[in-house]
Amino acid sequence: VLASLGVASAQAALWACGARQRPARRRASEIHPEIRTWLRDAVATLLGAGFSAVQVLAVSRQRTTAAVDVLGAGVARARTTGVVLTARDRDGALREHVTNALSQDGIAAAVEELAPKARAASVDFGPPPRPLPVPRPDPDLLADGQILARVAALAARDRELSSRIVYSAAVMDIDDARVWSVAPGRDVEQRLVRVRRSITRVAWDGSRPIISEAARAWRGGLDDQDLADSELAAAREGALAMMTPRAFEDREYPFALDPAVTASLIEAIVQTLLTSTAARRPEVADRLAIGARAAPALVTLIDDPGVPGAYGGFQFDDTGAPANPVRLIDSGLLATRLARPRRAGHVARVEPLSSHLRLLPGAVERDQLLDEGFTLEGPLGTVVDPASDRVVIAVARARERSGGKRTGRMFADIELVGDLSSLLASVTALSNQTTVIGVRDEVGGQPRWRSFDMPWLRGRGMLRARPRAT
Amino acid sequence: VITGPDLANELVLRGLAEWVVIERAQELASLDEHARVRRREHRVLWQLTVHVDTPAGRGSAHLVIDAAAGSASAAVDQAVALARASVGPAWISRPLAAPARVKLEDPALATGDLADAVRELVDKLPRPVGVTARASLLRERVDVVARQGFHTEWTATLARVDALAIAGRRSLAITREARQLGGLALSAALDHAKRDLHLLQQAVAPSAGPCALVLRADAMLHDDGLGVWSAFASQADAVVERQGLTRYRERAPIAPGADQMAEPLTIRSNGALDFGVRSAPLGDQGDAVRVFALVERGTAAGLGLSPREGALRGRDPNGGVRNLEVATGSWPGTLDGVAPRVVEVRRLRSLAIDPYTGEASLEIALGIDHTAGASQPFRGGSIRIDLIASLAKARRSATAITRGAYKGPDAVLVERAELLG
């Protein structure tokens, strides 16, 4: 269940099912103090070989997943390292050489393959980076028991569990990455501690499990944030909610997207239409020229990795460039395309990817957003077709509202479908409250972290039931 | 740094019930035409499977270990602790069987510089329309060592091309994956893309209504995977079947009347198919890969069995569901006289399948509406369909194709469907 939710790896879930608490263990950072010297030597050698635009990116990453569920508790740790050498050759092509051996010999071997028998050039790397602030507490020094104690405390906070809840879990997922980027004139280092706390509740409704989750994700200290009591209660009530058994009538309705569904839609739009890669498709380039209207004037969208504590944020990107905000949509007009280079796990190939997307809030109280219609909750996936402008947003639940209040009817597995341009044109309000959502997924075994600061969004469109068991 | 002998030594010292270590030394070269990036990767990965027997039963753990991720001792400690944490019903491993004899290495990629090979692949790419491609080549040496003294090794290659084909103001994304360079069949793929791009330029909005449905290869195998046939792979998951969550059980018809059809459906998993992208001599737990039937003449016939699932059922493991071989039919693929209205789907933009029920939602990127002798391309619209029942009774073409992990008819005809606008 945890793996299906994406809140933990299957491995961590397996561990969580009945694990005993392991004895306390201290695992200090195993970073060699000479690592910066090795990376600088690599840059100097590549420059000496005649390459330009040389950069060496290195990462040492530890993932710690602690879980407490109905069967027991456990902690899993996994460590990954990698080095990416990037250089432009005389033909103007970029060369990348990647190895997972973060050692003097490993880096030297990679350099030798890219630039055999080259001599090091003299390079000014600029001022050395300032010492990194150490997070308190330092997750690298915490014993399993200390992390598990935090998760157990979270699990113990919601005592009003019903007998209908067949599964419950609390999870703390910590990605602790140290990243070095060394290039002529720019030698930088960052430590990115990304924390995600979540609880999961599962109950049966007829023949289907209803899964409800509450999560918070941030970058910083382990104890910087925690789930509020109201969030715990909402997760419990979400799992226990009974779905309306009668058939859903497929037609056009007013709707409100909750922030998680808004985030799903916004991410699909950004990745499918607003990146520099997406613009290679003529349909996208034709439809969305810079300065063209992309959305109603109330929509302003910013990718801002420098927001303190943002789960998807950073101090510098995977080319070593500082984290500057990029305004993608400004009052409904396309301002620029997203070209920020990021690498999954800091080692995969470069792709433009958002970091911390902020959809600026509106002026309407969230409870006053919708008089009649459905509030769509629990994103299951959004598909935007750049060729046909078609959008399909799948959600787990649609709550009916009438007269500004919930009617109590709730339908499972609903899709919002239609043309994206029509859907966006129908957006008439954004709430003045926002919620931050952190997302971690993996591509080719390497993680990608993003976050979204999103309001509730009101619009109108075609709702229909998704395919269901017969 | 972890080494294979270190891992084996540590595992021997623990006195475990069973263990398997798979070492994968991978070399990868890729070329991105658009970004003008040439990339090389070298990595060594270990997959570690351990089984621990306790009075309460057997626990298992499967870990993927990075080469630079610490010491062998720590990795084995973690695997053992993980296994002890997941103790379930006891079972006994069967002796490891002989690996499947299968060819996985393209001789053209067995030696030499992969960077040169990938550049040649891109340079020789046919370009009937505007094409930008990203290609990658993988060469992998796999070593397997198990507690029972078992040791085997093999080499494999894998080629992948992601291309964007552009004609006029329309584009199509194409992905092909194969063990051999020749298996990519890029010339045909790009010719088909050219034809479909031309159709897209004439496409109109869809007209909703009942129709017969034809799925051509690019739609049927959406995203170059198993496409619509993956509904049967989900039903052959032994764990899900044991939980009673599959739609049909072994030895029962997969849908009412499926075993009474003139050409009943037969599907085999063939992990020993030479150059199949999901072929391998052994599975990830050291289990020998075997050919088995998922569906035999409309009746559910077999399940993908891991060592544990096999032992619990008293059967040999078979390496799980791998490449699918679907029996061809006798339908010539023509549309004459099939139905008053036939919707021929050429490309999908998304395919969502409920793994438990086989209910699916097909979002159409390009189709052709054949009504009353006229043919009109369209884009958009969707089909909602019960894939298990529909494919059990569908007419299958007589022409076979091999693409990715699929070998079977190049089109299917479903007599009753409904196009949604």
Side-chain angles (χ1 to χ4, degrees), chain A residues 251-463:
Chain A
R251 65 176 177 84
E252 195 172 289
Y253 295 95
F255 64 79
L257 305 185
D258 82 358
V261 180
T262 306
S264 174
L265 171 63
I266 292 294
E267 176 163 50
I269 291 172
V270 169
Q271 290 307 127
T272 311
L273 302 175
L274 301 187
T275 67
S276 52
T277 302
R280 290 169 52 202
R281 302 192 74 148
E283 303 95 325
V284 175
D286 289 352
R287 185 181 155 197
L288 279 175
I290 300 297
R293 177 155 297 283
L298 54 86
V299 172
T300 293
L301 182 66
I302 303 167
D303 186 48
D304 193 353
V307 170
Y311 186 71
F314 42 75
Q315 283 114 47
F316 59 85
D317 67 23
D318 290 327
T319 62
N324 294 323
V326 175
R327 194 167 281 248
L328 298 172
I329 298 175
D330 193 352
S331 301
L333 304 179
L334 179 63
T336 189
R337 296 191 193 279
L338 183 67
R340 194 187 307 283
R342 297 190 70 186
R343 299 176 185 273
H346 303 287
V347 294
R349 67 181 179 81
V350 165
E351 60 174 341
L353 186 70
S354 67
S355 56
H356 179 70
L357 282 170
R358 293 167 50 214
L359 180 58
L360 298 190
V364 183
E365 285 288 328
R366 116 187 150 187
D367 289 338
Q368 296 170 7
L369 206 59
L370 194 64
D371 283 335
E372 308 284 334
F374 287 92
T375 303
L376 306 184
E377 305 171 348
L380 298 175
T382 299
V383 176
V384 172
D385 181 26
S388 67
D389 196 37
R390 179 89 165 172
V391 60
V392 180
I393 305 169
V395 299
R397 300 175 297 277
R399 288 182 194 271
E400 189 181 50
R401 290 179 72 89
S402 182
K405 295 180 180 174
R406 290 181 182 176
T407 64
R409 282 191 283 274
M410 183 157 59
F411 295 87
D413 293 331
I414 298 295
E415 287 178 343
L416 171 58
V417 298
D419 290 340
L420 179 63
S421 47
S422 304
L423 180 72
L424 291 177
S426 80
V427 175
T428 50
L430 300 171
S431 71
N432 55 11
Q433 299 102 327
T434 63
T435 295
V436 176
I437 295 126
V439 175
R440 184 192 196 280
D441 62 5
E442 295 194 357
V443 173
Q446 298 291 347
R448 304 189 305 179
W449 302 275
R450 287 97 70 209
S451 48
F452 305 85
D453 187 0
M454 296 284 143
W456 278 255
L457 177 152
R458 183 178 71 200
R460 186 177 181 85
M462 171 75 183
L463 298 182

Side-chain angles (χ1 to χ4, degrees), chain B residues 13 15 60 78 83 100 106 108 110-111 122 135 146 204 212 233 241 303 312 328 349 372 388 395 406-407 421:
Chain B
L13 290 174
S60 304
Q78 185 180 19
D106 184 348
T111 56
V122 171
V204 299
E241 198 269 351
L303 301 167
L312 292 176
T328 53
R349 62 167 168 268
I388 302 286
R395 297 179 67 187
Y406 172 82
K407 184 178 180 184

Side-chain angles (χ1 to χ4, degrees), chain A residues 11 14-15 17-20 22 27 30 76-81 84 89 91-102 113 204 208 250 280-283 285-286 343 347-349 383 385 387-388 390 392 415 464-470, chain B residues 32 34-45 60-64 66-70 74 77-78 81-82 84-86 132 134 164 166 168-173 349-350 352 354 357 359-361 363 365 379-382 384 420-421:
Chain A
Q11 172 188 323
L14 183 64
W15 188 288
C17 294
R20 294 177 206 133
R22 301 181 66 203
R27 180 183 289 186
E30 295 173 8
R77 294 179 187 260
R79 186 148 184 244
T80 305
T81 57
V84 183
D89 64 21
D91 299 334
L94 268 183
R95 304 269 298 273
E96 287 186 1
H97 200 104
V98 185
T99 175
N100 59 358
L102 182 57
E113 193 162 339
W204 284 97
R208 287 214 156 203
D250 298 357
R280 290 169 52 202
R281 302 192 74 148
E283 303 95 325
D286 289 352
R343 299 176 185 273
V347 294
R349 67 181 179 81
V383 176
D385 181 26
S388 67
R390 179 89 165 172
V392 180
E415 287 178 343
R464 71 182 188 196
R466 298 187 75 215
R468 297 199 62 186
T470 52
Chain B
D32 186 330
H34 176 73
R36 298 195 68 202
V37 175
R38 291 159 56 194
R39 180 179 166 99
R40 279 174 177 272
E41 290 183 52
H42 291 283
R43 59 190 175 207
V44 181
L45 304 172
S60 304
H62 315 289
L63 290 183
V64 177
D66 193 301
D77 277 347
Q78 185 180 19
L82 183 57
R84 290 189 188 284
S86 60
T132 52
R134 186 177 66 237
L164 183 66
I166 300 174
R169 306 311 296 166
R170 296 288 171 194
S171 62
L172 284 173
R349 62 167 168 268
S350 79
D354 184 322
T357 65
E359 299 276 349
S361 187
E363 296 290 331
R379 55 192 165 92
S382 59
R384 285 193 257 173
L420 305 173

Side-chain angles (χ1 to χ4, degrees), chain B residues 6-16 19 76:
Chain B
D6 289 347
L7 271 177
N9 289 337
E10 289 291 336
L11 288 161
V12 168
L13 290 174
R14 300 299 199 283
L16 302 167
W19 54 263
V76 172

